[in-house]
Amino acid sequence: MAKKTVSIKKQRTIRMTLTYLLLLIVCTLIIYPLVWTIGASFNPGNSLVSTSIIPDNPTVGHYKDLFQQEGTLYYGKWYMNSMKISILTMVFSILCVSYTAYAFSRFRFKGRKNGLMLFLLLQMIPQFSALIAIFVLAQMLGLINSHWLLIFIYVGGQIPMNTYLMKGYIDSIPLDLDESAKIDGASNTRIFWRILMPLSRPMLAVVAMNGFTAPLGDFAISSVILRNPEYYTLPIGLYKLVSDKMGASYTTFAAGAILISIPVAIVFVALQKHFVSGLTAGGTKG
């Protein structure tokens, strides 16, 4: 019996050691490039190559160059364009996904199952596969360089996946709450806004985070629609800034990339208390 107990403890120790080792490797793979990029943004010169992660003579000159150096005066404009697109995409995604998920969760109507199946199929098709169609549509409608067209595309791309998540979460909210509210004379709209939405804050936080970060990481679609430097978002602007005007100035590119992460970090911290519970929810089968 004693040998069996020792054997079980040994197995647990091995499992815990392997688990922590795996977590350490994953954390290193995630954190090391970030630390290197931060160090590079303060590194004098134009090269990412350095003898150490922490520069010997750190400088904030690259951050100043983003806003002052000739040829990069659009960086502030790109930043504002990205923030506008990200915030509006987040807001419209929350509204569209909430209403769509509510309809599929609480109502039974003709075509409901086919609609859910269509959303499932749309999740499997990446948005960039329709680049040619998007470009032709933008030309036909005269919406080249239109931020609104880009916002509608991002919002549309957010609906299928997030609707499934949101619907699963709403399915987990008891129908008794709806029925009690209806007995008191509440309409479906009032039930939606006063009961379901407050209870769905964790999943709304997930939808908000997805909606905010998607435009900041997109290059393919935005580069097809936005052709004038004045309308660029940060992913396009930084790429053009390095490839077309500054050659091999990767340290300035690193500084610009670091500034992108600031609003993402702020949004994440603001939604953090809801974010974890929202990610683990929404798995209810409907």
Side-chain angles (χ1 to χ4, degrees), residues 59-233:
T59 176
V60 295
H62 302 304
Y63 291 93
K64 293 180 179 179
D65 290 344
L66 288 171
F67 300 95
Q68 295 178 0
Q69 186 171 336
E70 184 180 356
T72 66
L73 298 179
Y74 283 116
Y75 184 83
K77 184 70 174 176
W78 300 337
Y79 208 96
M80 295 305 297
N81 290 343
S82 291
M83 290 302 99
K84 179 183 75 173
I85 293 173
S86 292
I87 291 172
L88 290 176
T89 299
M90 177 179 65
V91 172
F92 289 138
S93 294
I94 290 173
L95 291 174
C96 293
V97 169
S98 298
Y99 277 115
T100 306
Y102 173 61
F104 278 112
S105 177
R106 287 299 196 252
F107 299 100
R108 299 297 181 266
F109 50 88
K110 188 176 181 180
R112 177 178 176 273
K113 290 186 177 180
N114 291 333
L116 290 172
M117 184 61 66
L118 178 62
F119 279 1
L120 183 61
L121 293 175
L122 289 174
Q123 293 180 47
M124 303 177 185
I125 304 174
Q127 284 184 314
F128 63 80
S129 62
L131 286 180
I132 296 177
I134 291 173
F135 177 71
V136 172
L137 178 64
Q139 278 195 322
M140 291 175 59
L141 298 177
L143 294 176
I144 295 293
N145 290 321
S146 171
H147 289 162
W148 283 107
L149 177 60
L150 202 58
I151 291 169
F152 291 147
I153 293 173
Y154 289 144
V155 172
Q158 293 282 316
I159 290 176
M161 178 63 182
N162 287 329
T163 294
Y164 257 92
L165 294 174
M166 191 73 179
K167 175 190 172 297
Y169 194 89
I170 295 177
D171 285 344
S172 67
I173 299 175
L175 280 170
D176 294 343
L177 296 175
D178 298 40
E179 295 171 356
S180 299
K182 287 180 180 179
I183 292 174
D184 293 335
S187 63
N188 288 327
T189 303
R190 191 176 184 84
I191 293 172
F192 175 79
W193 285 110
R194 294 298 182 89
I195 298 177
L196 295 180
M197 286 302 96
L199 293 176
S200 301
R201 285 178 183 173
M203 187 52 62
L204 290 175
V206 176
V207 175
M209 193 67 188
N210 290 340
F212 186 82
T213 56
L216 294 176
D218 173 66
F219 175 82
I221 299 175
S222 55
S223 63
V224 168
I225 297 175
L226 306 178
R227 298 306 181 92
N228 192 319
E230 196 174 337
Y231 297 95
Y232 284 169
T233 55

Side-chain angles (χ1 to χ4, degrees), residues 17-57:
T17 302
L18 292 176
T19 300
Y20 282 116
L21 180 61
L22 179 61
L23 289 175
L24 179 62
I25 294 173
V26 172
C27 289
T28 302
L29 292 175
I30 295 173
I31 295 175
Y32 182 77
L34 177 60
V35 174
W36 184 272
T37 304
I38 294 174
S41 68
F42 292 101
N43 190 34
N46 295 328
S47 177
L48 289 177
V49 179
S50 177
T51 56
S52 61
I53 296 180
I54 301 175
D56 296 329
N57 301 303

